[in-house]
Amino acid sequence: MKKSFYLATVLAAGIALQACNNQQSNQDSVDSAEAVNDSTLTNQQDDPAEFMVEAASGGMMEVELGKLAQANANHPRVKSFAQMMVNDHSAANTELMTLAQSKNITLPQTMGEDHQKMIDDLKNKKGVDFDKAYMNMMVDDHKDDVELFEEATTSKDVEVSAFAGKILPKLKIHLDSAQVIHDAVKQK
């Protein structure tokens, strides 16, 4: 009797552990990174970590959208802009990863659900419809990026502030370019 009770207890514990593992694997990568950072970092490190997690997710999205735009866009300026997104955001992502590692900050392995949804919204569009939707999204997204990075330039963490200050001018160029191209493709 004791043996069967013990076996049932072990089996129930295994099922419960498996359920927890499945729940964690379905969790948003951004949420997972934030949870790790919340449990391992001091309050002083928390604000830079939140910025870095958000920047990492957004940077991954920019690269993936850029690749998608190179395949689905029609307008040559949209394709050129998309290549700039892939190049610039890949470089920024690499620099961000190095900075995060030096600070023991966990970054998401994949983009967050909100960024993935932006990609999913564009996957089935092609040609002029894609151009308009992508450039509209790029204008909106880069407005948010500029705001996020401007705020990060005031971080008490000198290295995070310097990183944000270095990337911010490129983001402003991206926003200006996106607005000009958006206006050009909107009229077609």
Side-chain angles (χ1 to χ4, degrees):
M1 187 73 151
K2 285 184 178 182
K3 188 175 184 180
S4 62
F5 176 74
Y6 175 75
L7 188 58
T9 304
V10 169
L11 183 60
I15 292 170
L17 182 61
Q18 182 64 35
C20 288
N21 286 340
N22 285 343
Q23 189 174 19
Q24 280 185 321
S25 67
N26 292 334
Q27 188 177 19
D28 183 275
S29 183
V30 169
D31 293 341
S32 296
E34 288 174 348
V36 169
N37 291 329
D38 286 345
S39 69
T40 60
L41 301 176
T42 65
N43 284 343
Q44 191 174 20
Q45 293 172 300
D46 198 33
D47 287 341
E50 287 178 20
F51 159 73
M52 294 170 80
V53 166
E54 181 65 23
S57 179
M60 286 185 268
M61 180 202 62
E62 294 287 357
V63 171
E64 289 306 310
L65 278 175
K67 291 175 183 177
L68 183 64
Q70 289 172 332
N72 292 1
N74 183 52
H75 200 286
R77 288 177 72 186
V78 174
K79 287 182 180 263
S80 178
F81 179 84
Q83 184 62 54
M84 181 173 63
M85 293 301 95
V86 171
N87 294 344
D88 290 353
H89 286 281
S90 291
N93 291 350
T94 300
E95 195 172 333
L96 180 61
M97 243 185 298
T98 301
L99 179 59
Q101 287 174 341
S102 75
K103 297 184 166 300
N104 293 319
I105 292 174
T106 300
L107 296 180
Q109 298 298 308
T110 59
M111 70 193 85
E113 291 174 0
D114 53 337
H115 288 130
Q116 183 61 53
K117 183 180 178 335
M118 294 171 87
I119 292 171
D120 294 343
D121 289 346
L122 288 181
K123 276 187 177 176
N124 294 324
K125 294 186 184 293
K126 303 260 190 252
V128 175
D129 288 340
F130 180 90
D131 293 348
K132 290 177 182 180
Y134 174 67
M135 293 315 302
N136 187 52
M137 187 179 288
M138 288 295 93
V139 169
D140 292 344
D141 184 61
H142 280 88
K143 285 178 182 176
D144 293 342
D145 289 348
V146 166
E147 186 177 315
L148 177 69
F149 277 73
E150 281 178 341
E151 185 177 317
T153 62
T154 65
S155 174
K156 291 177 184 175
D157 186 310
V158 176
E159 293 161 316
V160 170
S161 178
F163 168 76
K166 178 181 177 183
I167 303 301
L168 185 58
K170 286 185 182 181
L171 294 174
K172 288 180 177 180
I173 290 169
H174 294 171
L175 176 57
D176 290 343
S177 297
Q179 287 173 322
V180 169
I181 297 167
H182 173 265
D183 291 345
V185 298
K186 182 171 71 172
Q187 297 175 6
K188 292 200 172 219

